[in-house]
Amino acid sequence: MSTLARARCRLGAHPSALDAALAAAVLVCMIAGSFVDPHGPEGVSWGLRTPDALSLLLMTVGAAALVFRRRAPLTVLAVTGGVSVVESVTGDPRAPVVMSAVVALYTVAASTDRPTTLRVGLLTMTVLTGAAMLAGPLPWYAQENLAVFAWTGIGASAGDAVRSRRAFVQAIRDRAEKAERTREEEARRRVAEERLRIARDLHDVVAHHIALVNVQAGVAAHVMDKRPDQAKEALSHVRAASRSALNELRATVGLLRQSGEPEAPTEPAPGLDRLDELVGTFHHAGLHVEVARADQGTELPAAVDLAAYRIIQEALTNVQKHAGLRAKAEVSVVRVGPDIEVTVLDDGGGEGDVPAEAPADGGGHGLLGMRERVTAVGGALTTGPRYGGGFRVHAILPARNRTNAAEDPV
């Protein structure tokens, strides 16, 4: 940083000191200008004449008023304008007291709005120029009188230009800050959505597989003494379910790794192509499930495919947990126009027949998670008890992305 820039920064940090320095500089310029004799025998000439006592007093008052130009710009303009009018009427030759009024007018224009600048600027130019032309010792058409009009106009114009530039720079800065805040809010929103999605995946994986492990472990403990072969088969299902749970948990938690850590698993998310495998795990656990599909040839978006799979998984898990192993469940996946309809029914015929939306332990977020998944892909979900017993979960999911729905009519 240059010496001039450092000095400017120091003065900017102390505006009162800057105003005092400006007032001193203006006073020096006015005193130096008072030695110019514009009416000499050979035109404008320098002389060693001493300014009149009144002119010196007026210059001092005008310069001293500039020290307070930031605190009360209009008051300072009134004071400097008043002493300039007195000098224009009495001075011969005049001292350049009007210089202080020009600086004060610049300050008003730079610190107020444009309508105020126009009104105050026109009033100042009219008063100072009119006083100089009508009441001064010089003819009204003298160049000194016209110079008063020109310099006051320049001061007002320069101040308005500085104010406009400051407003423009501030607007750009505000826009940049707003854009930065918007980016941060968008990043926080995306993080929250990703956390919610991962929480739903973890809930679905843990609830499904742990329920299977619990059932198979109970079967193994029940038949361990009398039917060891069946107990071994149940334990093998426990092992398979736990291994599947670990793999899915590893894939989900892998998304949380930071950059530079080992690459996260790239196994695709489950979808309806694994529906038979999913139903098979419930068959092994002793739940009777019937599947009906009428969606052949339908390629679903990845998010919709995953949502359909998770809804069936969660619904069957609730049947197993709350309706019991003697219950019967029906799963249907049907293409209806532009949508895929997924329905899971149970007859509630097992022991501990408790609706899925009111789990026996008083907790659980299964239905909430299903509703969030369906809403995220633009679908609709209805759940509730069936007439005569049991429970029904019905989801309507869009079979196509909204962007290409119009291009692929059904």
Side-chain angles (χ1 to χ4, degrees), residues 34-334:
S34 66
F35 287 96
V36 178
D37 186 4
H39 308 298
E42 298 180 359
V44 178
S45 61
W46 287 90
L48 297 178
R49 67 182 183 85
T50 302
D52 296 336
L54 179 60
S55 297
L56 186 60
L57 175 62
L58 295 175
M59 288 187 288
T60 304
V61 172
L66 294 179
V67 177
F68 308 98
R69 67 189 186 97
R70 296 178 192 265
R71 304 176 191 175
L74 291 175
T75 302
V76 171
L77 177 60
V79 172
T80 55
V83 296
S84 298
V85 168
V86 174
E87 178 62 21
S88 297
V89 173
T90 61
D92 188 21
R94 297 173 185 159
V97 181
V98 72
M99 185 183 299
S100 61
V102 172
V103 175
L105 180 59
Y106 164 85
T107 303
V108 171
S111 59
T112 59
D113 53 17
R114 181 160 294 171
T116 302
T117 299
L118 291 175
R119 291 193 297 268
V120 174
L122 288 175
L123 178 62
T124 302
M125 285 188 291
T126 301
V127 171
L128 294 184
T129 306
M133 289 182 174
L134 300 178
L138 299 177
W140 68 270
Y141 52 83
Q143 291 185 353
E144 292 183 46
N145 298 334
L146 299 179
V148 172
F149 180 84
W151 280 108
T152 51
I154 291 174
S157 301
D160 183 70
V162 170
R163 181 199 55 77
S164 299
R165 181 180 179 278
R166 289 174 182 170
F168 177 73
V169 172
Q170 185 62 38
I172 293 177
R173 186 178 293 111
D174 293 342
R175 192 178 299 117
E177 292 176 355
K178 182 178 179 180
E180 184 66 24
R181 288 195 301 270
T182 302
R183 284 194 296 269
E184 293 176 356
E185 292 172 358
E186 178 67 15
R188 285 194 294 267
R189 185 185 65 81
R190 290 182 180 274
V191 168
E193 290 179 353
E194 185 65 14
R195 286 176 177 173
L196 180 60
R197 187 192 67 79
I198 292 174
R200 286 197 300 259
D201 285 342
L202 288 176
H203 172 271
D204 293 342
V205 171
V206 172
H208 167 63
H209 291 290
I210 296 304
L212 292 180
V213 168
N214 180 61
V215 171
Q216 295 291 353
V219 171
H222 182 68
V223 301
M224 179 68 71
D225 297 331
K226 298 180 180 180
R227 287 173 286 177
D229 293 339
Q230 187 176 355
K232 290 181 180 179
E233 182 181 357
L235 291 176
S236 67
H237 291 316
V238 169
R239 182 179 181 184
S242 61
R243 184 187 301 114
S244 178
L246 288 174
N247 290 337
E248 292 198 37
L249 285 173
R250 187 180 298 112
T252 302
V253 176
L255 298 174
L256 302 176
R257 290 176 175 167
Q258 301 293 329
S259 58
E261 293 185 356
E263 186 175 353
T266 57
E267 180 181 356
L272 291 180
D273 57 338
R274 294 175 55 182
L275 180 58
D276 294 338
E277 177 184 343
L278 174 65
V279 172
T281 61
F282 287 98
H283 282 158
H284 292 313
L287 180 66
H288 180 72
V289 183
E290 296 181 358
V291 179
R293 299 190 64 173
D295 63 326
Q296 289 75 10
T298 302
E299 293 185 3
L300 299 176
V304 176
D305 201 19
L306 175 62
Y309 179 88
R310 293 301 190 196
I311 289 168
I312 297 173
Q313 181 186 54
E314 178 63 27
L316 291 178
T317 301
N318 287 339
V319 172
Q320 186 181 50
K321 286 171 29 179
H322 306 307
L325 294 178
R326 290 189 297 176
K328 295 181 181 180
E330 299 177 7
V331 177
S332 65
V333 182
V334 182

